[in-house]
């Protein structure tokens, strides 16, 4: 039997006794990162509030180290689980240091006095989230992004076995999103702290998570490893995307391709075409791409954005069929862009295509 540390068994969650998500079954090992993804209003926050006893669950069990958390006192639970939810705290007359220090209260005596060791842990947590300059400032006078870091410091200061976060990257710029997730990853890897969170940024969820839970409708739509979740069809269905694409290779959301006859034929290799594809799409210009090997990074994006892609099997010499298709494409298009293709022994025929485009006065070089 797998050694799972946190388990949801037949959990049903909702409000006022009415279930909105049923039969949730999730098993997480110690030190794993579980991320909930799904559209707004799907119930991700409801699940998080239910497993932290912020909401009364409808039915089912939530087990931590094989104990139902309902059997734990609030002090015991808070010693093992730290929570960072989206509700904005507005403590009166509290500095950021004071807020972080509340994370030590499960360990203090009846008077709530902090020892020197407690103070040391507060300072260490503040430094860990790179908020050293915020300690003396009024918590209500700092930015939303700074608040998020202070609340994370409070959770770290709590020295939990599990940390639960609802959209922790909200209000953070790119630098601090990456920084915060790096902190969580290190906590999981080095201290074996289990992390359960919701994220809107599916590209980040794809990169940091050990397990992904897709929340939609009245059930868990899919649960598993990131590599099993992040395919174009699953994400399209989960978010009901009908105006673009999810690219699992780049972990990106792409706008829909420009429809119509191709005006431009792009010749590229090894990533040199990516910037050209995006520029043409922004300019609303339909384009074709080729001849691309199916293991070329350019192909991964071209198949989403180009109206036509001429391909060849990896490591093979360019076939007569692909070569003739490319010549016809050059003849049809107004412009041929050399995006910086690298020519070797296997794709030598690309040189002839460029010469043909040059002789027709269609060849241009990308200035990207």
């Amino acid at each position: 039997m797998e050694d799972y540390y946190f388990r949801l068994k037949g959990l049903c969650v909702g409000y006022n006794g009415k279930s909105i998500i049923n039969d949730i079954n999730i098993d997480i090992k110690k030190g794993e990162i579980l991320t909930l993804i799904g559209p707004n209003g799907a119930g991700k926050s409801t699940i998080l509030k239910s497993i932290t006893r912020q909401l009364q669950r409808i039915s089912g069990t939530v087990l931590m180290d094989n104990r139902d958390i309902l059997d734990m006192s609030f002090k015991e639970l808070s010693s093992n689980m730290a929570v960072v939810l989206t509700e904005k705290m507005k403590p009166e007359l509290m500095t950021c240091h004071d807020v972080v220090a509340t994370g030590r209260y499960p360990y203090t005596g009846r008077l709530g006095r902090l020892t020197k060791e407690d103070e040391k842990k507060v300072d260490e947590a503040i430094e860990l989230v790179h908020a050293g300059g915020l300690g003396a400032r009024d918590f209500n006078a700092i930015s939303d992004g700074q608040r998020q870091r202070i609340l994370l410091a409070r959770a770290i200061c709590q020295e939990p076995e599990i940390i639960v976060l609802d959209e922790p990257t909200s209000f953070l710029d790119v630098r601090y999103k990456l920084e915060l997730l790096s902190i969580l990853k290190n906590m999981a890897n080095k201290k074996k702290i289990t992390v359960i969170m919701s994220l809107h940024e599916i590209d980040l969820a794809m990169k940091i998570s050990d397990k992904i839970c897709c929340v939609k409708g009245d059930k868990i739509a899919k649960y598993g490893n990131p590599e099993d979740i992040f395919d174009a069809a699953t994400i399209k269905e989960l978010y009901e995307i009908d105006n673009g694409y999810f690219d699992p290779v780049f972990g990106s959301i792409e706008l829909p391709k420009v429809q119509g006859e191709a005006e431009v034929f792009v010749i590229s290799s090894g990533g040199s075409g990516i910037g050209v594809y995006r520029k043409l799409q922004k300019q609303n210009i339909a384009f074709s791409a080729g001849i691309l090997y199916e293991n070329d990074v350019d192909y991964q994006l071209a198949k989403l954005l180009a109206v036509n892609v001429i391909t060849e099997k990896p490591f093979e010499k360019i076939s007569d069929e692909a070569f003739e298709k490319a010549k016809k494409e050059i003849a049809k298009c107004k412009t041929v862009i050399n995006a910086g293709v690298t020519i070797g022994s296997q794709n030598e025929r690309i040189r002839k295509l460029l010469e043909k485009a040059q002789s027709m006065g269609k060849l241009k070089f990308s200035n990207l």
Side-chain angles (χ1 to χ4, degrees):
M1 180 178 171
E2 292 278 6
D3 184 22
Y4 294 115
Y5 182 73
F6 196 77
R7 310 184 76 181
L8 309 181
K9 297 175 65 176
L11 181 66
C12 296
V13 302
Y15 295 89
N16 300 319
K18 184 178 180 181
S19 177
I20 61 171
I21 305 175
N22 302 305
D23 199 27
I24 304 169
N25 295 283
I26 291 174
D27 299 312
I28 314 167
K29 295 178 182 177
K30 199 171 184 62
E32 284 192 324
I33 297 177
L34 165 70
T35 303
L36 278 58
I37 64 171
N40 286 336
K44 300 185 294 297
S45 296
T46 304
I47 294 173
L48 296 182
K49 289 177 180 177
S50 298
I51 66 176
T52 58
R53 287 173 62 176
Q54 308 282 318
L55 275 178
Q56 184 176 352
R57 63 201 190 208
I58 307 300
S59 62
T61 54
V62 179
L63 300 174
M64 181 190 300
D65 202 16
N66 291 319
R67 288 185 63 197
D68 193 318
I69 64 169
L70 288 181
D71 296 333
M72 298 180 180
S73 67
F74 278 105
K75 182 174 182 178
E76 185 179 6
L77 183 61
S78 61
S79 297
N80 287 280
M81 178 186 287
V83 183
V84 182
L85 298 180
T86 51
E87 285 83 354
K88 290 185 179 180
M89 288 177 53
K90 287 193 175 181
E92 295 295 328
L93 302 175
M94 287 183 72
T95 66
C96 292
H97 180 279
D98 295 335
V99 171
V100 176
T102 62
R104 296 304 301 165
Y105 285 177
Y107 307 100
T108 61
R110 295 176 64 181
L111 298 178
R113 290 177 179 172
L114 272 62
T115 65
K116 287 184 178 180
E117 183 64 22
D118 291 322
E119 290 287 359
K120 181 181 176 182
K121 292 182 183 298
V122 171
D123 292 337
E124 287 174 349
I126 290 174
E127 288 300 324
L128 187 60
V129 300
H130 305 286
L134 299 177
R137 294 183 59 183
D138 183 344
F139 181 78
N140 291 323
I142 61 176
S143 70
D144 287 334
Q146 290 170 327
R147 284 194 191 114
Q148 199 78 322
R149 281 190 282 153
I150 291 299
L151 293 177
L152 178 60
R154 182 185 66 168
I156 293 169
C157 190
Q158 210 168 317
E159 295 186 309
E161 297 292 328
I162 296 178
I163 183 168
V164 180
L165 309 101
D166 193 6
E167 300 176 17
T169 54
S170 297
F171 312 114
L172 299 181
D173 61 29
V174 173
R175 173 191 170 186
Y176 290 119
K177 286 180 194 286
L178 297 175
E179 194 171 82
L180 183 145
L181 293 179
S182 294
I183 292 168
L184 293 177
K185 185 176 179 63
N186 287 334
M187 289 168 60
N189 288 340
K190 295 178 181 179
K191 296 186 176 182
K192 292 301 178 184
I193 294 174
T194 303
V195 178
I196 304 172
M197 63 181 168
S198 62
L199 284 179
H200 278 306
E201 301 91 339
I202 58 176
D203 56 330
L204 296 178
M206 178 177 167
K207 294 173 176 67
I208 193 175
S209 308
D210 297 298
K211 291 288 189 292
I212 296 289
C213 178
C214 301
V215 185
K216 184 182 180 184
D218 62 353
K219 61 182 176 22
I220 300 303
K222 200 168 183 179
Y223 171 70
N225 300 321
E227 55 269 27
D228 299 325
I229 300 294
F230 287 99
D231 61 76
T234 297
I235 299 302
K236 181 182 175 99
E237 182 179 352
L238 179 63
Y239 290 96
E240 299 182 2
I241 299 173
D242 58 7
N243 56 349
Y245 315 93
F246 171 73
D247 182 357
V249 175
F250 294 98
S252 60
I253 299 296
E254 302 293 340
L255 295 171
K257 69 178 69 177
V258 180
Q259 299 296 331
E261 290 291 324
E263 300 178 41
V264 176
F265 183 53
V266 182
I267 299 177
S268 67
S269 66
S272 64
I274 291 173
V276 178
Y277 302 160
R278 295 196 190 283
K279 185 174 182 180
L280 291 170
Q281 185 191 46
K282 290 175 189 176
Q283 294 173 344
N284 204 39
I285 297 173
F287 68 92
S288 296
I291 299 170
L292 291 171
Y293 288 103
E294 293 170 357
N295 62 344
D296 194 313
V297 67
D298 281 354
Y299 169 70
Q300 303 299 328
L301 187 60
K303 67 182 181 180
L304 298 180
L305 302 185
V307 295
N308 185 32
V309 184
I310 302 168
T311 64
E312 187 53 83
K313 294 179 181 178
F315 312 113
E316 297 289 340
K317 288 188 175 181
I318 291 176
S319 65
D320 290 340
E321 181 183 2
F323 185 66
E324 290 302 318
K325 284 181 180 179
K327 287 203 301 185
K328 289 179 181 178
E329 205 66 30
I330 288 172
K332 288 192 302 181
C333 291
K334 297 176 183 177
T335 304
V336 176
I337 295 179
N338 179 356
V341 64
T342 300
I343 299 175
S345 59
Q346 298 299 93
N347 68 341
E348 173 64 30
R349 298 180 90 174
I350 292 290
R351 197 183 310 278
K352 294 185 181 298
L353 295 177
L354 294 174
E355 290 171 354
K356 178 178 177 63
Q358 180 73 49
S359 68
M360 298 174 71
K362 295 184 176 183
L363 185 63
K364 293 184 178 180
F365 291 86
S366 168
N367 57 2
L368 293 176

